[in-house]
Amino acid sequence: MTVRNFENFKFQPFILEALREINFTKPTEIQERLIPSIQRGENAIGQSQTGTGKTHAYLLPIIDKIDPTRQEVQAVITAPTRELATQIHQEVGKIIKFSEESPITAKLFVGGTDKARAIEKLKTQPHIVVGTPGRIHDLVKEQALQVYTASKIVVDEADLMLEMGFIEDVDQIASRMIEDLQILVFSATIPEKLKPFLKKYMENPRYTHVAPEQATAAKVEHILVPLRHRNKLNLLQSMLEVYNPYLAIVFTNTKKMADEVADGLIAKGMKVGRIHGDLPPRERKKVMKQINSLEFQYVVATDLAARGIDIEGVSHVINYELPNDLDFYIHRVGRTARAGFSGIAATIYEPANEDAIVRLEKMGVTFVNMDLEKDEWVNIGERNKRKARKKQVDEVDKLAQSKVRKPKKVKPGYKKKMNKEMEEIKKRQKRLKRK
Ligand code: AMP
């Protein structure tokens, strides 16, 4: 058996030094599987969710191959959200700061910031560009950013790129880069609509799938909490209070609902942060800072705003609503139990969610059914009590039918009489069962 360690990849000494500094002792599965092929210059598709260490799977080999003597763009890293791009840029910074001898430079370009300043920043071209596709494409069009020298492009969270309509920008950026481009695509899912893009740029890519079970998700406890006939916000409040989490993210499907829930909890006197797409960039940045400095114990978020953000120490993910697209369940839950820690994903559900839950179970999620009773968690066993009860009723029905014989000669009103008799028997059976 090969010993998994970073020395095996023959990285430059400054990278190993940086890894020691950030406390990465051994590569994660996706890093182990992808780094060698990225080092060989192969195209790759990494199908994995956040939490598996996918960012460093591409960052480390990319940074390792930068030639600091050529002051030109050599790699472009694109991400769908400003937060994710910012975070990737920060991760790059933590590693390149050790390249003091021949410094490697990286710059961040995201929307919502001053474009003139971005152009100013580009008086010298950085080695690595990190950003959102729209802004990068913009700067390329302005001829401020020269990507034609770059030989590597990363498309992180490609499925979300597609969903947010950014693939076109990525395509435009990639088409201006060198012909023999190395392209690295990371995506939690590979939707059909993404395939034309992949085909256009990739011949025989190396495809690596790291299943959530093998990564961190195995350490997540998935809990279902029935709403019953309670007030949902009150239930959420109790759940949060009883969990007393290190940091919980409450997911809603819409911005409107995120506001409703956040306002509702604040009105109940709780200190709650919120992140959703309608917040102005400045506000979002502020909230992210507050979250990272643990000013909040609870954060309400929508999927798009929260995707890809590496908030450290999320101990609980609460699904106030199940997402319409169930892949998002996996993404949401990927927010917790990162890099080896365990976490809890609790979902408030109603009978209408039954199909979705069954589908999630088919996707490999194992749920535990719990409920709060007098502010304590109790395991409530089978979720399908309703179904189980129906089966019981069917059996009682059968029994009753077998006991009531249909008269040979049918007299008028016999049906009514028979039904009445059956009802009597059913009632008796139920009474007996209860005893
Ligand atoms: P990612 O999937 O890239 O979002 O990474 C999830 C988390 O795992 C991040 O907080 C990383 O800093 C951390 N991480 C990535 N690779 C390693 C590693 N080899 N050892 C320990 N932590 C890691």
Side-chain angles (χ1 to χ4, degrees):
M1 205 179 81
T2 51
V3 182
R4 290 213 263 159
N5 66 42
F6 284 110
E7 274 78 20
N8 292 355
F9 302 125
K10 311 240 173 322
F11 288 135
Q12 296 184 57
F14 82 85
I15 292 195
L16 295 175
E17 203 184 332
L19 289 170
R20 273 193 296 276
E21 173 75 18
I22 57 176
N23 271 326
F24 287 12
T25 48
K26 54 181 185 10
T28 63
E29 186 185 346
I30 191 159
Q31 288 161 4
E32 192 177 44
R33 285 167 61 184
L34 271 184
I35 290 174
S37 86
I38 297 177
Q39 285 178 318
R40 285 193 296 272
E42 292 168 9
N43 292 328
I45 301 175
Q47 186 178 356
S48 67
Q49 60 187 74
T50 42
T52 52
K54 69 180 168 77
T55 317
H56 289 82
Y58 62 81
L59 283 190
L60 300 176
I62 285 179
I63 297 171
D64 188 46
K65 283 274 161 68
I66 297 287
D67 174 1
T69 62
R70 281 168 39 215
Q71 198 55 56
E72 55 190 26
V73 178
Q74 295 170 43
V76 176
I77 298 168
T78 61
T81 63
R82 293 164 193 171
E83 283 85 3
L84 181 57
T86 308
Q87 240 162 45
I88 295 169
H89 181 249
Q90 280 165 358
E91 294 304 323
V92 172
K94 287 180 198 165
I95 296 163
I96 61 175
K97 81 169 187 215
F98 287 88
S99 68
E100 296 138 339
E101 275 176 34
S102 5
I104 294 171
T105 52
K107 282 188 179 143
L108 174 72
F109 301 102
V110 294
T113 57
D114 186 4
K115 199 161 103 186
R117 262 190 65 197
I119 293 173
E120 186 66 28
K121 270 208 290 191
L122 281 165
K123 278 202 169 132
T124 47
Q125 301 283 308
H127 296 119
I128 301 170
V129 166
V130 185
T132 43
R135 178 49 69 92
I136 294 177
H137 184 205
D138 226 14
L139 293 169
V140 170
K141 278 191 295 191
E142 296 261 355
Q143 295 184 333
L145 180 63
Q146 287 144 23
V147 290
Y148 59 85
T149 50
S151 59
K152 295 178 173 65
I153 187 167
V154 174
V155 188
D156 205 343
E157 305 262 352
D159 50 353
L160 197 57
M161 291 273 201
L162 182 81
E163 208 163 297
M164 293 168 83
F166 293 156
I167 281 292
E168 187 59 29
D169 286 312
V170 177
D171 192 352
Q172 287 293 324
I173 300 164
S175 68
R176 285 175 163 88
M177 294 169 71
I178 69 168
E179 203 156 308
D180 196 15
L181 184 66
Q182 182 181 24
I183 174 160
L184 308 171
V185 176
F186 291 83
S187 199
T189 57
I190 311 285
E192 232 7 79
K193 281 192 191 141
L194 190 64
K195 291 189 177 155
F197 171 81
L198 297 178
K199 272 211 187 106
K200 181 169 170 188
Y201 286 100
M202 310 176 98
E203 257 176 62
N204 307 319
R206 187 183 169 85
Y207 177 87
T208 304
H209 180 211
V210 177
E213 299 80 63
Q214 290 164 280
T216 51
K219 299 199 182 74
V220 178
E221 196 178 346
H222 301 265
I223 292 169
L224 286 178
V225 185
L227 176 61
R228 303 224 155 98
H229 296 290
R230 292 170 287 190
N231 174 292
K232 207 169 181 179
L233 199 63
N234 289 346
L235 175 63
L236 175 68
Q237 182 189 14
S238 309
M239 285 169 66
L240 291 174
E241 285 174 350
V242 174
Y243 275 139
N244 189 16
Y246 182 73
L247 177 64
I249 303 188
V250 178
F251 279 99
T252 63
N253 292 348
T254 61
K255 296 169 200 163
K256 194 167 159 262
M257 187 55 90
D259 275 333
E260 222 174 284
V261 171
D263 291 339
L265 292 175
I266 289 166
K268 288 171 181 289
M270 298 173 88
K271 194 161 186 250
V272 178
R274 78 184 85 187
I275 24 174
H276 62 58
D278 273 357
L279 291 187
R282 194 186 289 267
E283 184 66 17
R284 271 210 280 183
K285 235 187 191 162
K286 192 176 130 203
V287 179
M288 285 300 298
K289 245 198 192 137
Q290 286 176 306
I291 294 171
N292 281 321
S293 58
L294 291 175
E295 271 180 52
F296 301 116
Q297 214 179 344
Y298 322 107
V299 175
V300 181
T302 53
D303 292 286
L304 292 196
R307 270 282 292 276
I309 304 173
D310 188 14
I311 302 172
E312 267 178 46
V314 178
S315 55
H316 294 72
V317 164
I318 314 263
N319 295 306
Y320 191 70
E321 309 172 277
L322 264 179
N324 299 325
D325 177 349
L326 292 180
D327 283 339
F328 278 68
Y329 179 89
I330 308 289
H331 297 312
R332 289 178 180 184
V333 166
R335 317 297 325 157
T336 184
R338 295 197 143 202
F341 297 105
S342 58
I344 284 181
T347 302
I348 301 177
Y349 82 99
E350 298 172 58
N353 300 132
E354 184 61 32
D355 285 352
I357 290 167
V358 170
R359 270 187 289 144
L360 282 171
E361 284 174 333
K362 280 192 187 140
M363 284 159 79
V365 179
T366 309
F367 289 106
V368 182
N369 300 281
M370 309 272 277
D371 200 0
L372 274 178
E373 278 174 21
K374 296 199 184 86
D375 280 349
E376 267 189 44
W377 283 114
V378 287
N379 191 320
I380 52 170
E382 277 261 342
R383 176 180 80 256
N384 288 336
K385 274 207 178 130
R386 209 165 38 101
K387 269 195 193 154
R389 208 179 320 127
K390 180 155 188 318
K391 212 166 137 203
Q392 241 179 42
V393 172
D394 286 348
E395 267 158 27
V396 174
D397 261 338
K398 253 192 235 153
L399 196 76
Q401 264 164 13
S402 70
K403 295 213 166 177
V404 182
R405 256 186 297 137
K406 190 175 161 185
K408 282 198 182 106
K409 235 185 176 174
V410 179
K411 285 185 193 149
Y414 92 94
K415 236 180 182 168
K416 216 167 150 191
K417 225 171 127 193
M418 196 167 86
N419 280 346
K420 204 171 154 211
E421 210 173 318
M422 264 175 58
E423 281 312 309
E424 283 297 315
I425 290 172
K426 273 199 236 173
K427 264 188 209 152
R428 237 177 290 142
Q429 288 285 339
K430 270 191 195 159
R431 242 177 281 135
L432 271 173
K433 265 229 152 71
R434 236 176 278 142
K435 277 181 198 160

